[in-house]
Amino acid sequence: MSYFNANSKSSYLPYLFTMVAASLMTTYIELWFTAQNHYIFLTRPFPTVFPIDIRLTLIVIPLFTFIALWIMKSLQGMNRFSFILLTSLLAMLLEPVSEQAGWVAFSPDWKHLYSFFGYAVFLLLIRRIHVIADR
């Protein structure tokens, strides 16, 4: 018996592919934003090697991606759109909390509203990547 045949697809592979894609996208975005001095990660492993917090890009983002995709799969239309907006709003609201916790420092020019739009686009993009990978 073959694990792969023409009529069936492993259900975890599209999730895994999307989680890796989300991690790579986040890594490059974080590298760009830190290079532009929009923010700096104050507590991060290997600070002399990485200017970003690799725990975020290697653990948090893949888990967040899986959970978000799992939730979005059960939602339709406006409910899915509302989920994306609420999740983006929550991310925006958590930024000042992470700053007060001492994890990140934002430049005076940074507007947390940027993150609202960034997370909304990110969620729409990972959803689209997942849909394509799941075909």
Side-chain angles (χ1 to χ4, degrees):
M1 178 176 186
S2 173
Y3 287 102
F4 301 100
N5 67 42
N7 296 330
S8 72
K9 187 190 283 192
S10 183
S11 62
Y12 70 88
L13 287 177
Y15 283 98
L16 183 61
F17 178 80
T18 309
M19 291 163 60
V20 170
S23 181
L24 288 171
M25 283 188 306
T26 303
T27 299
Y28 292 120
I29 290 167
E30 297 294 342
L31 286 168
W32 188 81
F33 277 122
T34 56
Q36 298 298 313
N37 295 316
H38 291 294
Y39 50 81
I40 184 170
F41 292 96
L42 300 173
T43 59
R44 61 188 190 271
F46 312 111
T48 58
V49 179
F50 299 110
I52 61 172
D53 190 341
I54 59 172
R55 295 172 295 194
L56 175 74
T57 60
L58 296 178
I59 299 168
V60 175
I61 291 298
L63 287 173
F64 168 76
T65 299
F66 177 78
I67 293 167
L69 288 172
W70 184 68
I71 292 170
M72 284 192 282
K73 191 169 188 149
S74 67
L75 300 174
Q76 299 295 319
M78 286 305 293
N79 288 336
R80 186 178 296 145
F81 185 70
S82 296
F83 171 77
I84 290 171
L85 292 180
L86 288 173
T87 304
S88 300
L89 180 64
L90 180 63
M92 180 184 80
L93 295 174
L94 286 175
E95 278 188 352
V97 173
S98 66
E99 190 168 25
Q100 286 188 349
W103 299 332
V104 65
F106 294 94
S107 78
D109 298 332
W110 183 258
K111 307 287 185 253
H112 296 294
L113 189 61
Y114 300 158
S115 294
F116 172 79
F117 292 110
Y119 271 95
V121 169
F122 176 76
L123 286 166
L124 289 168
L125 188 58
I126 65 166
R127 168 77 179 139
R128 186 68 185 139
I129 290 169
H130 181 72
V131 167
I132 291 169
D134 201 24
R135 287 186 184 164

